[in-house]
Amino acid sequence: MRRRYFGRATLFIIALVFSVIFLLPTVLTITNSFMTQSEILANYGMIFSALRPGVGGYVSDSVTLKLIPDRVTFDQYITVLFRNPEYMTMIWNSIFLVVPIVLLQVGIATFAAYSFTRYKSRFKNVIFFIYIVLMLMPHQVTLVPNFLVADELGILGSRWSVIFPGAFAPFSVFLLTKFMRRIPSALIEAAKIDGASEFQIFTRICLPQCRSALYSIIILVFFDYWNMVELPIVLLADADTQPLSVFLATINANEAGVAFAVAAFYMIPPLLLFLHGEEALVEGITHSGSVKG
């Protein structure tokens, strides 16, 4: 009995240490966003020295990680929200890119997954295998094909050049197909005997049973494209149309405090989405829906 409690205590301590390590960057970002510019440069000046002309770029041991500011200020947030509209423009750019991608990808995935689940075809498994191969490819591999296709369609440089590749990404189709295949066929056959049409089976049986999977897909896709960098850099030449994830890298040392404030503000949407759908995210990934095959 004593050995079991000792093992649990050890695992708890290990989990606590890893939790602190993982949360430390987020906590530092939030707390440092309330520091003054002079205090930030006093604590992290050597880190930002590479961005200042005439100063060496090495990071010394004198860098100080502070969790509590000496003087709390909201000046950075006032700059982000009111003084400089450029930051809010970039935030809206991120929203106008990510929200259509999430809605279109989930909408396309529901119909594609239902087709892979319900209809019989000799080529179905081959097409699904191609989906898996495409899902395993990183964004960097498909950048050049996406650039060429967008150029041929005449949408290069517009938001649609980023939205279209995201809308037809195969990840959602794969995850939702695996989830729909867990719905018992007897349930669908009973609905057909009761006179339900194919559209009614899709909307009243399949989609409600896949609610947790849909939540998890929405969260994962939002996280993925909310932090995208390579795709907008290549396809959006105009900096005014790029999302905030790209714009954060251009903030210089003289705006370090603003950078912390923008980063803290930028974390709010994914954090709220995760807290709202945490249980559905876990359930959807583990394929433990309300009905199992």
Side-chain angles (χ1 to χ4, degrees):
M1 182 68 68
R2 182 177 302 176
R3 182 180 301 176
R4 184 176 64 180
Y5 283 115
F6 178 77
R8 290 182 178 179
T10 303
L11 292 176
F12 175 78
I13 294 174
I14 294 174
L16 181 62
V17 171
F18 277 102
S19 299
V20 172
I21 294 174
F22 290 145
L23 289 176
L24 185 60
T26 302
V27 174
L28 284 173
T29 300
I30 296 174
T31 56
N32 291 343
S33 66
F34 296 101
M35 291 183 180
T36 60
Q37 178 70 16
S38 59
E39 185 178 359
I40 292 175
L41 291 180
N43 296 330
Y44 310 104
M46 295 304 296
I47 294 179
F48 294 105
S49 61
L51 301 176
R52 291 182 293 173
V55 182
Y58 296 99
V59 179
S60 68
D61 295 334
S62 61
V63 174
T64 304
L65 300 179
K66 293 185 65 175
L67 292 176
I68 302 177
D70 293 335
R71 184 171 68 88
V72 177
T73 177
F74 295 91
D75 187 64
Q76 290 89 341
Y77 287 97
I78 294 175
T79 301
V80 172
L81 296 175
F82 304 107
R83 292 176 184 168
N84 195 337
E86 189 177 17
Y87 299 113
M88 290 304 299
T89 299
M90 298 301 167
I91 292 176
W92 281 110
N93 286 344
S94 298
I95 295 175
F96 290 149
L97 285 174
V98 176
V99 172
I101 288 176
V102 173
L103 295 178
L104 289 174
Q105 186 175 146
V106 172
I108 294 172
T110 53
F111 289 101
Y114 185 75
S115 300
F116 279 125
T117 304
R118 290 282 296 137
Y119 295 107
K120 308 295 181 181
S121 173
R122 67 177 71 178
F123 302 108
K124 182 180 68 173
N125 292 332
V126 176
I127 297 175
F128 190 71
F129 176 76
I130 295 175
Y131 262 87
I132 297 176
V133 173
L134 292 175
M135 186 185 68
L136 296 176
M137 291 184 179
H139 292 298
Q140 294 81 359
V141 176
T142 59
L143 282 177
V144 175
N146 288 332
F147 181 90
L148 297 176
V149 171
D151 190 27
E152 288 293 328
L153 294 176
I155 59 175
L156 185 62
S158 67
R159 290 190 177 96
W160 291 108
S161 62
V162 178
I163 293 175
F164 279 153
F168 294 96
F171 169 74
S172 300
V173 177
F174 169 78
L175 187 61
L176 199 55
T177 299
K178 301 297 289 184
F179 201 92
M180 280 190 180
R181 286 177 176 175
R182 297 175 60 85
I183 300 176
S185 58
L187 185 63
I188 297 177
E189 293 299 327
K192 293 177 65 176
I193 294 175
D194 291 338
S197 63
E198 201 69 39
F199 184 75
Q200 290 174 328
I201 294 175
F202 172 68
T203 56
R204 298 185 182 181
I205 296 180
C206 289
L207 290 185
Q209 301 299 331
C210 297
R211 186 179 294 109
S212 59
L214 291 173
Y215 270 116
S216 63
I217 289 171
I218 290 173
I219 295 173
L220 294 175
V221 173
F222 184 89
F223 284 2
D224 187 20
Y225 287 94
W226 186 254
N227 300 311
M228 62 180 170
V229 176
E230 296 92 346
L231 201 61
I233 286 180
V234 174
L235 301 178
L236 299 176
D238 188 0
D240 293 335
T241 61
Q242 292 177 348
L244 188 59
S245 55
V246 176
F247 187 70
L248 281 174
T250 65
I251 299 178
N252 56 43
N254 295 327
E255 298 176 316
V258 175
F260 279 117
V262 173
F265 194 84
Y266 196 60
M267 289 188 296
I268 293 176
L271 181 61
L272 292 178
L273 186 62
F274 173 78
L275 294 176
H276 176 71
E278 179 183 2
E279 294 182 1
L281 175 64
V282 175
E283 183 180 0
I285 294 177
T286 56
H287 300 282
S288 58
S290 57
V291 178
K292 299 181 180 180

